[in-house]
Amino acid sequence: MTYFTKIIILLGSVLLTVSSYGQINTGKSGKEWNITTVSSVYQLKVSSGGDVQFVYYGNKLQSDKAQGSMGTEVPVRGGYVSALPVLEVVFPDGVRDLELEYVSSGTLNVDGFETLKITQKDKFYPLTVHSYIRVLPGYDLIEKWVEVVNTAKKGSVKIENLQSGSIFLPENSYELTHFSGIWGNEFRPNTTPLTQGTKTIQVRDFKSFGSSTFFIRPEGENGAQQGEVWFGSLQYSGNWRVDFEKFFRGNVQVVGGINFWDQELYLKPGESFTAPRMVFGYSNAGTDDVTLKLTSYIREQLLPEKHRDVIRPVLYNSWYATAFDVNEEHQLALAKVAKEIGVEMFVIDDGWFKGRIDDKAGLGDWTVDKNKFPNGLKPMIDQINAMGLDFGIWIEPEMVNPNSDLYRAHPDWVFYFPNRQRHEVRNQLMLNLAREDVYQYVYKSISGLLRENNIKFIKWDMNKSLTDPGFMSAPSDEQRAVRIKYVENLYRLVGTLRKEFPDVWFEDCSSGGGRIDMGMARFFDFNWASDNTDPVERIFIQDSYLSIFPANTMISWITHEDWHGQNHPLEFKLDVAMAGVLGIGYDISKWNDEEKAIAGEKIARYKDIRKTVQFGNHYRLVSPYENNRSILQFVSKDLSESVVFVYNLAEYPKATSLEAKKTKIVRLKGLDPDRSYTIEGIQGLFKGDYLLNYGINFPVNGAFKSHIFKITAQ
Ligand code: DGJ
């Protein structure tokens, strides 16, 4: 590299830093803002009456279409309530109307990204509202959140509703896509027109099986590769809600945040509360582009920093092999084969702790079961480590079985209302983590476990949805904030454990994918997307999951489970699981040489491609929801390698002339048009340009057949 090129590169990176910082332009008056990202612009201004008005959010090139003010930046309950409120309060004297006026503004640097802070105050009462807009230009994203401060000397302000933020979309007809599900059936996409009125997506019991992520597209502009999309998601793992209100004029307002159903917060004098962040984005290049933006954002900005750039290990998990019937001898037999076939992390699932012979007992008592492991865990972990494997363990720390020492000692540590039934799910109750004594107990149990054993991986499960949220021992003005406090303590707990045990990986599980969201993504390296390990079902779940979350967060193990009696071959199952973080969940101690050889070869193959899968840009080339094939592509950041997964769901993938391009001849994405590539298993040298614009036929025939193609730049 010449000196001259070095300077240019240096200059380029300086320019990049400068241009990725400083996208908030304040007008001359100091009271209007033009916030830009690569494709979008967000415009705000203070009106002559002192309102902070929302002017426009959308395509940068069409901001001249702004229709004047669409509403206020922080809509409140008060005066004309023409929009969904972000803030609803009651003052000590009973007044429930808010009248905000602009006070000041400034920009600050929040973790490397410029952030606009606008301060407003109530015109009469001592209440301050700061609203924040953090701009991530390269991802075409903005994060919004609101902080409310009670500046009074005396008297508490009651918050009946505080959302993270609101945006307005220009007049048009729109369609909303969101994801929902149940156990074994996570992340099912729903698309619905937004008609007059309000559509709400929400969670009231902590479990969503789908996430708060949404895409809104103008009707008719719904191509995956083209057209406008507004999208967003909440960084919150408790009860959340997102409302989409379509006004008569045709505008749509989106408001999201904590679900204040059955919740209220009191702010004492001097106290403040900050809503969790909501991320909003805009793209004019279709939902594929949204996927690219969201997955990159989560991978590069949200995931725990310590492991952000670290290759994810190949896992073994014992759940489907053993259920609760775990013992040292069998675990070691599993670990031995796991090592032979190339696994790197051996994880013992449920069943290892005191009294846990089935799901009726044990949760809460986080010490080893001496009947199953008479010598404790240590000798087993030592032997597993000696084989060259890291060791991981399953816990469900937020829960307790009534049949446990913990519950017998502290029956008041769970959520409950006196004189009311304590509703059990899977024979368990939920600990009230909002209580400091409960928090300390759980912290001590789990940190003790980690301190005493060489554990490198935690699978953190949560199997009961929230019921009976009583916290009667708390002061009456804190009782209905219990869910909010719970989530604060959940984050605090995982955050503290991560700091203390920085090398430990954390997997988020909630009966499969019950609690996957961008709040958890800040604390957990992985998600267990579903207990459904049927490869065909999994293709659908993974297709949706990967349209939001990056592949390096998606743990996927193969098991003997056969949900539809199809008896799919090992190769097919492995190919499906390799589109995420590969894991094995069979009773491999019973595997014959052929099965071991197949898995061994596939794991070696996975190790060869996993950097591109885990850190590359992800594109969905053919959706199983639209075709009887699924094709996924990953492209390394330097565009030198790509991996294409082809899964056939039918004997004859649709190939009528109209659909041929979509299913047979597939156009690749994200490659360098000027470089030439070879494709393993296909003769020839192909120009990137050709693969991008004409495409290629991936020769995979037959139902439930699959193949992984590695593409390499020459
Ligand atoms: C529910 C999880 O989703 C499963 O993967 C497994 O860990 C079981 N709990 C264990 O009880």
Side-chain angles (χ1 to χ4, degrees), residues 319 349-350 356 394 426 459 461 463 509 511-512 528 531 557:
W319 175 241
D349 207 282
D350 202 345
R356 189 69 167 170
W394 178 96
R426 208 190 188 205
K459 177 177 174 188
D461 204 348
N463 286 299
C509 170
S511 318
W528 175 233
D531 274 336
W557 355 292

Side-chain angles (χ1 to χ4, degrees), residues 612 617 619 621 633-644 666-679 686-693 695-696 698 710-713:
T612 299
N617 289 332
Y619 303 92
L621 303 184
Q633 187 195 359
F634 296 87
V635 182
S636 66
K637 287 279 176 201
D638 65 359
L639 314 191
S640 67
E641 184 179 296
S642 177
V643 179
V644 174
V666 181
R667 287 189 201 143
L668 298 189
K669 300 265 184 65
L671 300 176
D672 183 341
D674 298 326
R675 285 162 93 172
S676 295
Y677 293 87
T678 51
I679 306 177
F686 303 92
K687 210 52 204 301
D689 190 25
Y690 173 88
L691 294 171
L692 292 166
N693 294 307
I696 186 102
F698 289 106
K710 184 165 143 188
I711 301 176
T712 316

